[in-house]
Amino acid sequence: MARLAPPPPPSTVMSGASPLVSGRVSDYPTPSTSHVFLPLFHLTSSSARVAKMMNALLRSARCGAGEVRLKPHIRHSSIRALYDRFKDPTSPFHLPPGTQGPDSPDPPPEDLSPAEEGRSKFIELGFDPESFWEQPIVWGDHDAFQHVNNVRYLRFLESGRIHWMRSLGAELGGPAKAEAMIKGKGVSLILKSISLDYKRPVVYPDTLLIAHKPHHGPLHSSSQVDSPEVNTRRQARTHFHVKAAVWSYAQRRIVTESDSVLVWYDYDKLTKCDPGEEARAVIQRRMDLGKVAGSS
């Protein structure tokens, strides 16, 4: 027969109408060599778990393993424990009655509309706010694959690009220059090349927000647009690169990215040209939007 350690004072926890007694086998009358006397517990476990506990106890007692402990099944309420800490004056969580707890360290989430969220994201990424162009999706933009046809994005980007060109003209010479920029009069811009990176399909109904920003380029990946490697390059005299992105109001994310090359072009002489320092300064200011956004 195993010799059992002296028992500690037994403790009782009430659960409903039945007591939960926590202790050890030695808390109770000495068992005979043929059986082990077990106390009555208020069990909430399954019968299989109870049987496993009993078998482990019997094996321990028969093999003389020494002290045998029984773990009562006690329900703990984390909410109740936290509530008790709020009431305990010695606890760092204590809140005196009638007082209000501290504000959350996390700022409250802003309830932004899809349009506001898109504009905020583009400004954060350094896109030119004067280039923002909303493009509603119509049913006819779909193709047989049940999404907006890939070619349609070229038109969407073109509309956004022309809108942005008008803002450049307005800065260079007011409304008259803005009109001349889009009508092929004097010095304006012409598209040399464009590439698209389709990230997610778009379906009707939806509205897209299109944004542009110039950069020195060329890019090996879209993440390079504001990198020191690109920003430290000098602006070419006759051309510059433009990154574009398309934001879906329905999906609340960027669904397409683009990079293109625009060339300064004299439509009167039908040849590329140097637009002068004033035009390059306007483009440089738009390029610097990304640096300002990245440093704030």
Side-chain angles (χ1 to χ4, degrees), residues 11-285:
S11 60
T12 302
V13 181
M14 298 304 295
S15 175
S18 304
L20 291 179
V21 181
S22 64
R24 295 175 293 187
V25 172
S26 56
D27 294 349
Y28 302 94
T30 304
S32 67
T33 57
S34 60
H35 70 278
V36 176
F37 176 82
L38 296 176
L40 295 177
F41 286 82
H42 177 72
L43 299 174
T44 59
S45 309
S46 66
S47 57
R49 179 179 290 181
V50 173
K52 184 181 294 185
M53 186 197 312
M54 300 306 176
N55 289 335
L57 175 63
L58 289 172
R59 284 196 302 270
S60 178
R62 287 171 182 169
C63 296
E67 189 175 288
V68 180
R69 294 182 180 273
L70 293 178
K71 295 182 179 180
H73 184 84
I74 302 176
R75 290 193 180 99
H76 295 282
S77 171
S78 58
I79 297 179
R80 181 67 188 182
L82 183 60
Y83 181 71
D84 289 341
R85 287 191 178 188
F86 288 154
K87 295 195 300 181
D88 181 3
T90 64
S91 169
F93 300 99
H94 176 60
L95 290 176
T99 62
Q100 184 175 352
D103 294 333
S104 170
D106 300 321
E110 297 183 22
D111 187 16
L112 298 178
S113 69
E116 291 171 332
E117 184 180 3
R119 290 172 181 269
S120 175
K121 182 64 175 179
F122 280 156
I123 291 173
E124 176 187 335
L125 294 174
F127 284 93
D128 186 353
E130 295 186 59
S131 73
F132 293 172
W133 173 264
E134 284 189 331
Q135 180 68 54
I137 297 300
V138 299
W139 179 256
D141 292 326
H142 280 196
D143 59 20
F145 294 103
Q146 307 298 313
H147 60 71
V148 173
N149 185 269
N150 290 351
V151 178
R152 300 296 297 165
Y153 292 88
L154 290 170
R155 287 296 187 193
F156 301 160
L157 291 165
E158 179 184 58
S159 296
R161 185 171 63 250
I162 295 300
H163 172 70
W164 181 65
M165 285 172 55
R166 286 176 60 92
S167 74
L168 297 177
E171 186 171 351
L172 285 169
K177 179 60 176 176
E179 287 300 309
M181 286 279 291
I182 65 170
K183 290 184 177 180
K185 296 180 179 180
V187 175
S188 185
L189 291 165
I190 192 170
L191 179 67
K192 177 183 179 181
S193 63
I194 187 169
S195 63
L196 279 76
D197 181 8
Y198 301 100
K199 297 185 174 299
R200 294 179 66 90
V202 172
V203 298
Y204 172 86
D206 201 350
T207 297
L208 305 179
L209 180 65
I210 298 169
H212 286 79
K213 66 174 175 179
H215 63 88
H216 296 291
L219 304 177
H220 298 293
S221 68
S222 60
S223 61
Q224 282 188 304
V225 67
D226 291 322
S227 67
E229 177 188 354
V230 173
N231 281 330
T232 54
R233 295 172 185 165
R234 294 183 60 185
Q235 186 181 159
R237 288 189 172 275
T238 60
H239 69 276
F240 57 90
H241 296 249
V242 182
K243 178 177 172 57
V246 179
W247 175 275
S248 163
Y249 287 177
Q251 301 181 49
R252 303 182 85 127
R253 60 171 28 179
I254 292 174
V255 293
T256 302
E257 290 182 329
S258 168
D259 196 34
S260 59
V261 178
L262 294 183
V263 176
W264 288 106
Y265 194 79
D266 188 330
Y267 283 87
D268 296 333
K269 299 179 180 179
L270 302 180
T271 184
K272 68 180 180 180
C273 64
D274 180 346
E277 290 299 327
E278 183 183 4
R280 279 194 295 274
V282 170
I283 297 300
Q284 187 62 52
R285 185 185 71 79

